[in-house]
């Protein structure tokens, strides 16, 4: 299932991760692990935030993906099912008229 991972990082913990060089490494490792179809980074509600869209094969992946963000960055992490245009069109074609 295609999901949107949102990780909003604690400012102080992210500042420390930048100072000690671990933020770039954590992001790189996460991207290599989940192989997102899209990855965006911005400030959201005053916090450094990552948005990663990827195919989650099984919900058991959630702890493995989330824990580095929790442990190292004090992040708030959420997962939201999402669709691309093809998915929406496929779903709409299945509606009764």
């Amino acid at each position: 299932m295609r999901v949107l991972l949102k990780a909003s990082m604690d400012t102080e913990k992210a500042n420390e991760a930048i100072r000690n060089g671990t933020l770039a490494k954590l992001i790189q490792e996460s991207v290599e692990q989940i192989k997102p179809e899209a990855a965006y980074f911005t400030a959201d509600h005053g916090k450094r935030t990552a948005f990663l869209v990827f195919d989650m094969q099984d919900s058991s992946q959630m702890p493995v993906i989330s824990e580095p963000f929790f442990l190292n960055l004090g992040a708030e992490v959420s997962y939201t099912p999402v669709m691309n245009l093809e998915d929406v069109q496929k779903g709409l074609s299945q509606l009764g008229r």
Side-chain angles (χ1 to χ4, degrees):
M1 173 182 287
R2 182 178 284 111
V3 297
L4 169 66
L5 164 68
K6 177 182 177 184
S8 296
M9 304 163 212
D10 175 77
T11 300
E12 289 306 313
K13 288 192 174 194
N15 286 348
E16 181 58 30
I18 289 171
R19 287 186 195 103
N20 67 27
T22 58
L23 182 60
K25 182 180 177 193
L26 185 141
I27 290 172
Q28 182 65 36
E29 288 173 351
S30 295
V31 167
E32 288 173 359
Q33 177 186 27
I34 66 174
K35 297 173 181 52
E37 66 183 58
Y40 299 99
F41 305 89
T42 189
D44 186 46
H45 298 285
K47 294 184 177 185
R48 291 177 186 95
T49 303
F51 293 95
L52 306 171
V53 178
F54 68 102
D55 185 32
M56 182 179 288
Q57 298 297 317
D58 190 273
S59 60
S60 66
Q61 292 177 271
M62 292 170 69
V64 175
I65 294 167
S66 301
E67 288 305 324
F69 290 104
F70 290 142
L71 293 170
N72 299 305
L73 302 171
E76 295 178 17
V77 176
S78 64
Y79 293 88
T80 305
V82 295
M83 296 180 285
N84 63 16
L85 181 58
E86 289 177 18
D87 296 333
V88 170
Q89 291 172 334
K90 180 180 176 183
L92 292 174
S93 73
Q94 296 174 23
L95 293 176
R97 293 184 189 225

